[in-house]
Each structure stands twice: as C-alpha cells, then as structure tokens.
Coordinates of all heavy atoms in Angstrom, one line a residue:
E1 N 0.8 -1.2 0.0 CA 0.0 0.0 0.0 C 0.9 1.3 0.0 O 0.4 2.3 -0.5 CB -0.9 0.0 1.2 CG -2.0 -1.0 1.2 CD -3.0 -0.9 2.3 OE1 -2.8 0.0 3.2 OE2 -3.9 -1.7 2.4
R2 N 2.0 1.2 0.6 CA 2.9 2.4 0.7 C 3.3 2.8 -0.7 O 3.4 4.0 -1.0 CB 4.1 2.1 1.5 CG 3.8 2.0 3.0 CD 5.0 1.6 3.8 NE 5.4 0.3 3.5 CZ 6.5 -0.3 4.1 NH1 7.2 0.3 5.1 NH2 6.8 -1.5 3.8
I3 N 3.6 1.8 -1.6 CA 4.0 2.1 -3.0 C 2.8 2.8 -3.7 O 2.9 3.8 -4.4 CB 4.4 0.9 -3.7 CG1 5.7 0.3 -3.0 CG2 4.7 1.2 -5.2 CD1 6.2 -1.0 -3.7
G4 N 1.6 2.3 -3.4 CA 0.4 2.9 -4.0 C 0.2 4.3 -3.6 O -0.1 5.2 -4.3
H5 N 0.5 4.6 -2.3 CA 0.3 5.9 -1.7 C 1.4 6.9 -2.4 O 1.1 8.0 -2.7 CB 0.5 5.9 -0.2 CG -0.6 5.3 0.5 ND1 -2.0 5.5 0.1 CD2 -0.7 4.5 1.6 CE1 -2.8 4.8 0.9 NE2 -2.0 4.2 1.8
I6 N 2.6 6.3 -2.6 CA 3.6 7.1 -3.2 C 3.2 7.6 -4.6 O 3.4 8.7 -5.0 CB 5.0 6.4 -3.2 CG1 5.5 6.2 -1.8 CG2 6.0 7.1 -4.1 CD1 6.7 5.4 -1.7
L7 N 2.7 6.6 -5.4 CA 2.2 6.9 -6.7 C 1.1 7.9 -6.7 O 1.1 8.8 -7.5 CB 1.8 5.6 -7.4 CG 2.8 4.6 -7.7 CD1 2.2 3.3 -8.3 CD2 3.9 5.1 -8.6
V8 N 0.2 7.8 -5.8 CA -0.9 8.8 -5.7 C -0.4 10.1 -5.3 O -0.8 11.2 -6.0 CB -2.0 8.3 -4.7 CG1 -3.0 9.4 -4.4 CG2 -2.7 7.0 -5.1
Y9 N 0.5 10.2 -4.4 CA 1.0 11.5 -3.9 C 1.8 12.1 -5.1 O 1.8 13.4 -5.3 CB 1.9 11.4 -2.7 CG 1.1 11.0 -1.5 CD1 1.6 10.2 -0.5 CD2 -0.2 11.5 -1.3 CE1 0.9 9.9 0.7 CE2 -1.0 11.2 -0.2 CZ -0.4 10.4 0.8 OH -1.1 10.1 1.9
A10 N 2.6 11.3 -5.8 CA 3.4 11.8 -6.9 C 2.5 12.4 -8.0 O 2.7 13.5 -8.6 CB 4.2 10.7 -7.5
S11 N 1.4 11.7 -8.3 CA 0.4 12.2 -9.3 C -0.2 13.5 -8.8 O -0.3 14.5 -9.6 CB -0.7 11.2 -9.5 OG -0.1 10.0 -10.0
M12 N -0.6 13.6 -7.5 CA -1.2 14.8 -7.0 C -0.2 16.0 -7.0 O -0.5 17.1 -7.4 CB -1.7 14.6 -5.6 CG -2.9 13.7 -5.5 SD -3.3 13.3 -3.7 CE -3.7 15.0 -3.2
F13 N 1.1 15.7 -6.7 CA 2.1 16.7 -6.8 C 2.3 17.3 -8.2 O 2.4 18.5 -8.3 CB 3.4 16.1 -6.3 CG 4.6 17.1 -6.4 CD1 4.8 18.1 -5.5 CD2 5.5 16.9 -7.5 CE1 5.8 19.0 -5.7 CE2 6.6 17.8 -7.6 CZ 6.7 18.9 -6.7
I14 N 2.3 16.4 -9.2 CA 2.4 16.9 -10.5 C 1.2 17.7 -11.0 O 1.4 18.8 -11.6 CB 2.6 15.7 -11.5 CG1 3.9 15.0 -11.2 CG2 2.6 16.1 -12.9 CD1 4.1 13.7 -12.0
V15 N 0.0 17.3 -10.6 CA -1.2 18.0 -11.0 C -1.2 19.4 -10.4 O -1.5 20.4 -11.0 CB -2.4 17.3 -10.5 CG1 -3.7 18.1 -10.7 CG2 -2.6 16.0 -11.3
F16 N -0.7 19.6 -9.1 CA -0.7 20.9 -8.4 C 0.5 21.7 -8.9 O 0.5 22.9 -8.8 CB -0.7 20.7 -6.9 CG -2.1 20.3 -6.4 CD1 -2.3 19.1 -5.9 CD2 -3.1 21.3 -6.3 CE1 -3.5 18.7 -5.4 CE2 -4.3 20.9 -5.8 CZ -4.6 19.6 -5.4
F17 N 1.6 21.0 -9.2 CA 2.8 21.7 -9.6 C 2.7 22.4 -10.9 O 3.3 23.4 -11.2 CB 4.0 20.7 -9.6 CG 5.3 21.3 -10.1 CD1 6.0 22.1 -9.2 CD2 5.8 21.0 -11.4 CE1 7.2 22.7 -9.6 CE2 7.0 21.6 -11.8 CZ 7.7 22.4 -10.9
I18 N 1.9 21.8 -11.9 CA 1.9 22.4 -13.2 C 1.4 23.8 -13.2 O 2.0 24.7 -13.8 CB 1.0 21.5 -14.1 CG1 1.7 20.1 -14.4 CG2 0.7 22.2 -15.4 CD1 0.9 19.2 -15.2
P19 N 0.2 24.1 -12.6 CA -0.2 25.5 -12.6 C 0.7 26.5 -11.9 O 0.9 27.6 -12.3 CB -1.6 25.5 -11.9 CG -1.7 24.2 -11.2 CD -0.8 23.3 -11.9
I20 N 1.3 26.0 -10.8 CA 2.3 26.9 -10.1 C 3.5 27.1 -11.0 O 4.0 28.3 -11.1 CB 2.7 26.2 -8.8 CG1 1.5 26.1 -7.8 CG2 3.8 27.0 -8.1 CD1 1.8 25.3 -6.6
F21 N 4.0 26.1 -11.7 CA 5.1 26.3 -12.6 C 4.8 27.3 -13.7 O 5.6 28.1 -14.1 CB 5.5 24.9 -13.1 CG 6.6 25.0 -14.2 CD1 7.9 25.2 -13.9 CD2 6.2 24.9 -15.6 CE1 8.8 25.3 -14.9 CE2 7.1 25.0 -16.6 CZ 8.4 25.2 -16.3
C22 N 3.6 27.1 -14.2 CA 3.1 28.0 -15.3 C 3.0 29.5 -14.9 O 3.4 30.4 -15.6 CB 1.8 27.5 -15.9 SG 1.9 25.9 -16.8
I23 N 2.5 29.7 -13.7 CA 2.3 31.0 -13.2 C 3.7 31.7 -12.9 O 3.9 32.8 -13.3 CB 1.5 31.0 -11.9 CG1 0.0 30.7 -12.2 CG2 1.5 32.4 -11.2 CD1 -0.9 30.5 -11.0
V24 N 4.6 31.0 -12.3 CA 5.9 31.5 -12.0 C 6.7 31.8 -13.3 O 7.3 32.8 -13.4 CB 6.7 30.5 -11.1 CG1 8.1 31.0 -10.9 CG2 6.0 30.4 -9.7
S25 N 6.5 30.8 -14.3 CA 7.2 31.0 -15.5 C 6.7 32.2 -16.3 O 7.4 33.0 -16.9 CB 7.1 29.8 -16.4 OG 7.7 28.7 -15.8
A26 N 5.3 32.4 -16.2 CA 4.7 33.6 -16.9 C 5.2 34.9 -16.3 O 5.5 35.9 -17.0 CB 3.2 33.5 -16.8

C-alpha cells in the first residue's frame, strides 16, 4: 500500500505543480 500511496502523492504533486510552474514562468 505504501507504494500505491507514493504513486498517488506523486500524481497529485504533478497536478498541483503544473499551474504553479506556469504562473511562476509567466
């Protein structure tokens, strides 16, 4: 289950990171 949690957290991080990255880059 820990590996599954890691994958879920990694996916959530990428989803939230994209708009932050785009705003800072803009």
